[in-house]
Amino acid sequence: MIALRFCSLAAAFFFALAVGNASAACSTQPLQDKEAFRLSAIPLDERSVEVKIAIEPCYYLYQSKLSFSLEPNVLGKVTLPVGEHKSDPTFGDTMIYRRDLAIVLPFTKELPRDSAYMLRVSYQGCAEAIGLCYPAASQMLTLRVPTTATPGEEVFSTTPRSSWF
């Protein structure tokens, strides 16, 4: 009986220690939104691009606040990956993303060569450890299609720009 209590207390102590160490890894100083949520885009082919969002540990993005727009308007239907359920005090039952995220953006037509296109990625997220939620934000990526392409060459280059709404 004494050994069982000791094991239970030891297990509780190590659990508390592990939880404390996990939250200690989260900084109490929030990152800027573009540091907490880093965007990049890579080409898949002339009719699609993959947007990657690197989400820092201890941060998350709201699925419902994630959107994309492209000038000219040639975006097809974007399918977002399944997120994690969260009961949020502001938005109620919602889906979030905690880890790195990759989203394929299909185009409704092939983009002409030797052109530049502006892709806006809009989002909203939070720093969970300190209970801070950022205002809605967006980052702009310039997609440049080169004049000619050789096999295996990237179709787009990206130049990130950031702005607040």
Side-chain angles (χ1 to χ4, degrees):
M1 185 74 148
I2 293 173
L4 184 57
R5 280 191 188 150
F6 176 74
C7 287
S8 296
L9 287 174
F13 171 76
F14 286 116
F15 177 76
L17 185 62
V19 169
N21 285 341
S23 58
C26 298
S27 174
T28 58
Q29 295 297 317
L31 297 172
Q32 294 291 323
D33 78 306
K34 63 186 172 190
E35 296 168 346
F37 314 110
R38 294 181 322 276
L39 277 66
S40 63
I42 58 170
L44 298 177
D45 53 39
E46 290 84 3
R47 294 195 63 137
S48 64
V49 65
E50 181 179 60
V51 172
K52 292 188 176 187
I53 305 173
I55 303 170
E56 286 295 312
C58 308
Y59 291 79
Y60 63 87
L61 285 177
Y62 291 106
Q63 183 186 56
S64 64
K65 302 297 181 182
L66 190 57
S67 65
F68 307 90
S69 62
L70 182 68
E71 281 300 323
N73 185 12
V74 295
L75 276 182
K77 180 175 172 37
V78 177
T79 303
L80 296 175
V82 175
E84 174 186 327
H85 178 264
K86 180 168 180 63
S87 189
D88 186 84
T90 303
F91 297 113
D93 287 335
T94 189
M95 299 297 274
I96 62 168
Y97 299 115
R98 290 187 192 273
R99 294 180 194 81
D100 294 350
L101 184 61
I103 302 143
V104 175
L105 304 181
F107 304 144
T108 56
K109 63 181 184 177
E110 189 172 306
L111 296 179
R113 298 209 173 271
D114 197 25
S115 301
Y117 303 90
M118 298 305 298
L119 173 66
R120 176 186 299 269
V121 181
S122 300
Y123 57 91
Q124 185 172 4
C126 298
E128 188 165 34
I130 57 177
L132 169 74
C133 288
Y134 296 90
S138 68
Q139 290 187 42
M140 298 292 288
L141 297 173
T142 302
L143 305 178
R144 295 192 186 281
V145 183
T147 306
T148 60
T150 56
E153 181 183 9
E154 282 196 11
V155 179
F156 301 108
S157 66
T158 59
T159 307
R161 293 189 340 205
S162 179
S163 64
W164 290 94
F165 273 107

